[in-house]
């Protein structure tokens, strides 16, 4: 009898718990129980300017809420500690849904649920533009190969002028109005060759003319060698600079900066890239500017918007894509909100209204909104 009573109490407990949950679910989104919407502040997905929220994720949520006649309240969140945000959503009643650049991952799926994706993003790397500065060019110019060629040019030039002077210094320059003008001395000859636009004293002896022809051939060969060597060294320097941050192998050697708690950091480490964790994008930029890291791992649209907003023309997004990334709304496990959110996202994608919305914030990347 006691066992029966205990079983009945247990059944009644579960029955009333389920009924209470269903009642709360029906009431969720009402004035009495507005939906607690956590907003991760990262453009182009979400921002808060003087209490006015906007962005791709915010605009999509506003439309879904309007379709379902939901009452809701925005709660600004920082993406610096996503683990804390996920834990709050999963284990407390402070949040019912989280919107913004929320990436889907297997680890997060163990404790929370996700809507269908509304944006196909990618994990990329912010890098310096591959432009060689004056110090890089100076380093190339003082390389051993170029120095050897320049020394050969100077010695051959000195030899040419010396031989020319030996054969012609006693001769009178032909073609001058005053035939008594003597051939210039060696110092004057060097001065005339280096600084005078037009050479007035042409060789008059056969030996001098032969030496002049040989000098023209040798000088052309040396200048060609200098140009080829400099071009080759410049190409190699650009390749090495680009390879350091423009290839997966280079990033694996040099490392990147990443914001603590971001999904991007997990992706970078999964690809074998050492990550220096920092608190925000400004700290990561400082490390990049000091060449402490080769780049900054970031969600690609977030990176593009940041560079555009801050006019960082010296930085760009590397062509390396570490991983494709699905951006969704995060909800509690078995949340009654998920199905309604999925219906809203699907209907917007079916009538092609998501792409124009995205174009407002992303520009040319807008086609990636439509899955």
């Amino acid at each position: 009898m006691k066992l029966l009573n205990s079983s009945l109490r247990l059944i009644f407990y579960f029955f009333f718990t389920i009924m209470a949950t269903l009642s709360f679910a029906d009431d969720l989104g009402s004035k009495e129980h507005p939906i607690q919407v956590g907003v991760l502040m990262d453009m182009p997905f979400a921002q808060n300017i003087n209490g006015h929220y906007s962005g791709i994720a915010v605009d999509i949520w506003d439309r879904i809420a309007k379709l379902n006649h939901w009452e809701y309240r925005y709660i600004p969140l920082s993406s610096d500690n996503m683990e804390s945000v996920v834990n709050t959503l999963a284990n407390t009643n402070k949040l019912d849904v989280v919107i913004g650049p929320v990436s889907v991952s297997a680890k997060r799926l163990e404790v929370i649920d996700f809507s269908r994706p509304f944006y196909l993003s990618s994990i990329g790397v912010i890098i310096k533009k591959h432009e060689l500065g004056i110090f890089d060019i100076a380093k190339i110019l003082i390389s051993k190969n170029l120095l050897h060629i320049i020394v050969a040019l100077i010695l051959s030039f000195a030899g040419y002028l010396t031989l020319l002077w030996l054969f012609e210094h006693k001769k009178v320059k032909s073609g001058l109005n005053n035939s008594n003008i003597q051939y210039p001395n060696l110092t004057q000859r060097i001065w005339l060759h280096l600084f005078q636009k037009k050479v007035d004293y042409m060789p008059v002896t056969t030996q001098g003319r032969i030496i002049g022809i040989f000098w023209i051939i040798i000088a052309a060969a040396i200048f060609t060698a200098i140009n080829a060597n400099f071009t080759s060294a410049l190409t190699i320097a650009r390749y090495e600079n680009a390879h350091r941050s423009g290839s997966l192998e280079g990033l694996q050697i040099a490392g990147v900066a990443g914001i603590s708690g971001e999904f991007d950091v997990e992706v970078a480490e999964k690809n074998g890239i050492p990550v220096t964790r920092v608190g925000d994008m400004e700290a990561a930029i400082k490390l990049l500017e000091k060449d402490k890291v080769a780049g900054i791992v970031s969600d690609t649209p977030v990176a593009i918007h940041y560079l555009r907003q801050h006019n960082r023309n010296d930085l760009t997004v590397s062509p390396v894509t570490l991983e494709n990334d699905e951006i969704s709304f995060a909800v509690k496990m078995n949340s009654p909100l998920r199905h309604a959110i999925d219906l809203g996202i699907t209907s917007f994608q079916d009538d092609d209204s998501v792409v124009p919305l995205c174009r407002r914030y992303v520009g040319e990347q807008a086609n990636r909104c439509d899955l």
Side-chain angles (χ1 to χ4, degrees):
M1 192 68 179
K2 288 183 179 180
L3 183 61
L4 179 62
N5 291 335
S6 179
S7 299
L8 288 172
R9 280 197 297 270
L10 189 61
I11 291 171
F12 279 119
Y13 171 77
F14 279 114
F15 175 76
F16 284 114
T17 300
I18 292 171
M19 291 300 295
T21 302
L22 291 174
S23 175
F24 178 77
D26 291 336
D27 202 29
L28 192 61
S30 65
K31 289 184 178 180
E32 292 75 19
H33 296 97
I35 298 171
Q36 308 299 309
V37 183
V39 186
L40 294 173
M41 300 300 173
D42 261 327
M43 283 298 284
F45 297 102
Q47 66 179 352
N48 177 10
I49 300 178
N50 299 323
H52 175 71
Y53 290 83
S54 61
I56 297 171
V58 172
D59 287 5
I60 291 175
W61 170 262
D62 284 343
R63 294 187 182 192
I64 293 172
K66 187 177 291 185
L67 282 175
N68 290 277
H69 307 288
W70 286 337
E71 296 288 335
Y72 57 91
R73 182 170 67 93
Y74 282 138
I75 301 172
L77 302 174
S78 172
S79 59
D80 294 347
N81 192 349
M82 272 301 297
E83 292 181 7
S84 175
V85 173
V86 170
N87 183 61
T88 301
L89 175 63
N91 301 311
T92 73
N93 292 323
K94 294 179 180 179
L95 296 173
D96 298 307
V97 60
V98 176
I99 67 174
V102 185
S103 302
V104 180
S105 70
K107 184 178 178 181
R108 293 173 183 175
L109 275 169
E110 293 176 359
V111 292
I112 59 175
D113 205 354
F114 291 91
S115 69
R116 66 165 297 170
F118 64 86
Y119 192 98
L120 178 59
S121 183
S122 62
I123 305 300
V125 180
I126 299 173
I127 60 173
K128 289 183 177 180
K129 286 187 177 177
H130 306 310
E131 296 178 354
L132 297 178
I134 187 170
F135 293 108
D136 298 311
I137 295 174
K139 187 177 179 181
I140 293 171
L141 289 173
I142 62 175
S143 65
K144 287 184 178 180
N145 289 339
L146 272 177
L147 286 177
H148 290 163
I149 296 173
I150 292 171
V151 169
L153 175 64
I154 294 171
L155 291 176
S156 60
F157 179 65
Y160 157 67
L161 291 180
T162 302
L163 291 173
L164 199 62
W165 180 80
L166 288 174
F167 286 113
E168 300 220 345
H169 73 282
K170 293 181 180 180
K171 303 293 182 180
V172 178
K173 182 174 181 290
S174 62
L176 292 175
N177 295 328
N178 186 353
S179 60
N180 294 322
I181 296 178
Q182 297 295 315
Y183 189 86
N185 60 36
L186 183 58
T187 305
Q188 291 173 330
R189 188 73 178 173
I190 293 173
W191 180 268
L192 290 171
H193 271 77
L194 290 177
F195 299 104
Q196 190 163 304
K197 294 180 181 178
K198 174 176 146 182
V199 178
D200 291 331
Y201 298 98
M202 302 300 293
V204 294
T205 64
T206 302
Q207 298 94 328
R209 289 171 181 172
I210 292 173
I211 292 169
I213 291 171
F214 272 105
W215 161 246
I216 291 173
I217 296 171
I218 292 170
I222 291 176
F223 277 111
T224 301
I226 290 175
N227 181 62
N229 196 278
F230 179 77
T231 303
S232 175
L234 195 64
T235 302
I236 292 172
R238 282 176 174 170
Y239 171 77
E240 289 176 347
N241 193 15
H243 182 74
R244 180 174 183 265
S245 56
S247 69
L248 181 59
E249 295 80 6
L251 293 171
Q252 288 170 339
I253 295 171
V256 299
I259 300 174
S260 297
E262 291 282 358
F263 177 63
D264 317 328
V265 173
E266 298 178 27
V267 173
E269 291 178 336
K270 187 171 67 175
N271 280 274
I273 302 173
V275 180
T276 301
R277 288 174 168 79
V278 294
D280 52 37
M281 183 63 78
E282 285 72 20
I285 293 287
K286 288 180 181 178
L287 290 179
L288 180 59
E289 290 174 337
K290 295 178 180 178
D291 291 324
K292 298 290 183 63
V293 294
I296 303 167
V297 63
S298 173
D299 197 82
T300 299
V302 173
I304 291 172
H305 186 273
Y306 180 89
L307 298 181
R308 185 187 302 167
Q309 186 181 38
H310 292 81
N311 296 319
R312 294 306 303 256
N313 297 321
D314 57 324
L315 304 177
T316 186
V317 178
S318 169
V320 176
T321 297
L322 302 182
E323 186 174 287
N324 289 324
D325 185 23
E326 294 179 341
I327 305 297
S328 304
F329 293 145
V331 295
K332 296 178 183 295
M333 282 289 191
N334 303 315
S335 171
L337 298 175
R338 177 183 170 178
H339 182 65
I341 293 173
D342 285 346
L343 283 175
I345 292 173
T346 304
S347 66
F348 297 148
Q349 290 173 340
D350 287 345
D351 63 16
D352 295 326
S353 60
V354 175
V355 174
L357 183 153
C358 287
R359 189 173 290 117
R360 187 190 315 165
Y361 299 103
V362 187
E364 295 178 358
Q365 300 286 331
N367 61 327
R368 306 184 73 173
C369 293
D370 199 355
L371 301 180

